[in-house]
Amino acid sequence: MKNTIARLAGALLALTLTTSLAAAQSKVTVAVGGGACLCYLPTVLAKQLGEYEKAGLNVELVDLKGGSDALKAVLGGSADVVSGYFDHCVNLAAKKQELQAFVVYDRYPGLVLVVAPARTNDIKSIKDLAGKKVGVSAPGSSTDFFLKYLLKKNGLDPAGTAVIGVGLGATAVAAMEQGQLDAAVMLDPSVTVLQGSHKDLRILSDTRTQKDTLETFGGEYPGGALYSTVAWINGHEKETQALTNAMLATIAWIHSHSPEEIMAKMPDEMVGKNKDLYLAALKNTIPMFSETGKMDPKGADAVLAVFSVGSPEVANAKIDVSKTFTNKFVDQAKKTTGNAK
């Protein structure tokens, strides 16, 4: 009888503790601009590692087609935070919309302009894309901005190229292999998957490494970050700090574990059936991930400079780029958790 009472008491205590923990956790919805893309791996991995829960959050990840769709979710009120590319914060500043990145997990964008396998012999340079069909994750996404920048940089009118939204991951690979596109802006693991099937795959521009990023942009160029409206951040500083803490713990975990260990933590549906290709793509991607979570002000300036080339609206807006990001939450995490360098 005593044992039964003890078991019941233990079960009741466990239920009370679980209920109290759930009550203590804040619910936050994060819209991801294409969860299958390795550029967003830290956001998904943080969930797999339980880092959001450790930080006191109940995080729901909503996987969307591209960064522009994730941004619309936040602006429309169906999500709280975007896991997407920082450049949206700069672009929206030109429209007087106040968005702010508060932790950066990609120090390079990882965007790759790839020629469709069937067009390898026809398209040998960016100039050859005039009048062609080029895939991006979604119109208005960072892949689209990148394409327009490269076209303009190479003397082409971006309006002369047909831009087609094909998402990221398997849909983009299929569109390239089935001849629906002449080229596409892609990210890993899709690039490595294509290279696995087409050894002569032609790459016109690659920003997965520091060297390639510097050649393309003239400086470092931050990619993925967590960002939201200034109003949400100011009204939810506790949640913003918790998200920052979770992300810093995750990128520290990434840089202290092997690619094989990282892959083992990822959802099976994201890894896919060909684990060797996923692992190869992951090895290509790991150098992209930030080690500090902080925004380099020079990187933010580079984003503004790139957008100013391709967008008269941005060029004429007199944007104060320092208002499009904050490092205060990363700095605070450094004081309290030691996860930031």
Side-chain angles (χ1 to χ4, degrees):
M1 183 69 177
K2 287 182 180 179
N3 288 339
T4 302
I5 293 172
R7 284 198 298 271
L8 287 171
L12 182 60
L13 177 61
L15 179 61
T16 302
L17 289 173
T18 302
T19 304
S20 299
L21 180 61
Q25 287 184 331
S26 300
K27 174 72 181 293
V28 177
T29 302
V30 178
V32 186
C37 175
L38 284 173
C39 61
Y40 300 129
L41 178 143
T43 312
V44 178
L45 183 61
K47 183 87 169 176
Q48 298 295 107
L49 295 175
E51 292 297 345
Y52 297 126
E53 290 80 1
K54 291 175 192 173
L57 296 175
N58 175 16
V59 169
E60 178 188 4
L61 299 181
V62 180
D63 192 10
L64 298 172
K65 187 176 180 181
S68 58
D69 292 340
L71 174 59
K72 288 173 188 173
V74 166
L75 295 179
S78 61
D80 303 308
V81 174
V82 176
S83 177
Y85 274 35
F86 163 70
D87 51 23
H88 288 289
C89 297
V90 175
N91 190 44
L92 268 291
K95 298 176 172 63
K96 307 302 180 187
Q97 302 232 35
E98 294 185 319
L99 295 163
Q100 201 169 65
F102 54 87
V103 60
V104 177
Y105 49 81
D106 291 338
R107 55 182 173 175
Y108 314 130
L111 300 161
V112 186
L113 179 55
V114 183
V115 176
R119 304 306 305 274
T120 298
N121 295 328
D122 313 340
I123 300 173
K124 298 180 180 179
S125 72
I126 292 172
K127 291 182 183 295
D128 294 330
L129 294 177
K132 299 297 192 296
K133 294 181 293 185
V134 183
V136 298
S137 60
S141 288
S142 297
T143 50
D144 189 9
F145 296 144
F146 179 62
L147 174 63
K148 286 179 168 57
Y149 169 72
L150 290 178
L151 293 173
K152 187 99 173 181
K153 185 180 177 183
N154 284 271
L156 300 179
D157 179 1
T161 297
V163 176
I164 301 170
V166 293
L168 294 167
T171 55
V173 173
M176 288 283 273
E177 291 192 318
Q178 292 167 10
Q180 298 171 20
L181 303 169
D182 298 304
V185 177
M186 307 177 77
L187 295 109
D188 266 327
S190 298
V191 180
T192 303
V193 167
L194 268 181
Q195 286 178 314
S197 304
H198 308 278
K199 302 301 182 185
D200 61 343
L201 191 73
R202 188 182 300 282
I203 291 177
L204 301 178
S205 183
D206 191 337
T207 63
R208 288 177 291 183
T209 67
Q210 182 182 48
K211 177 179 177 292
D212 293 325
T213 300
L214 293 177
E215 286 179 0
T216 302
F217 300 113
E220 290 201 2
Y221 194 97
L226 295 186
Y227 69 85
S228 188
T229 63
V230 171
W232 190 88
I233 292 170
N234 289 343
H236 299 82
E237 291 207 351
K238 178 184 174 185
E239 290 83 356
T240 305
Q241 187 64 63
L243 284 168
T244 302
N245 293 352
M247 195 54 56
L248 292 176
T250 302
I251 59 178
W253 193 93
I254 288 171
H255 290 296
S256 61
H257 289 76
S258 69
E260 289 80 4
E261 289 171 318
I262 296 169
M263 182 174 73
K265 291 291 184 180
M266 294 300 289
D268 290 340
E269 63 271 19
M270 289 190 176
V271 174
K273 295 180 180 178
N274 194 328
K275 291 187 177 182
D276 289 340
L277 275 178
Y278 185 90
L279 185 62
L282 181 56
K283 289 177 179 178
N284 286 336
T285 304
I286 288 174
M288 278 175 47
F289 297 134
S290 172
E291 295 183 6
T292 68
K294 294 186 77 166
M295 174 67 75
D296 179 354
K298 291 181 180 178
D301 288 341
V303 172
L304 177 59
V306 166
F307 272 68
S308 296
V309 169
S311 170
E313 185 181 14
V314 172
N316 298 327
K318 296 181 180 178
I319 295 170
D320 181 354
V321 77
S322 68
K323 292 183 178 179
T324 62
F325 67 90
T326 177
N327 282 324
K328 76 173 187 177
F329 295 99
V330 174
D331 290 337
Q332 180 60 31
K334 181 178 180 179
K335 294 175 186 175
T336 56
T337 68
N339 274 328
K341 291 185 179 180

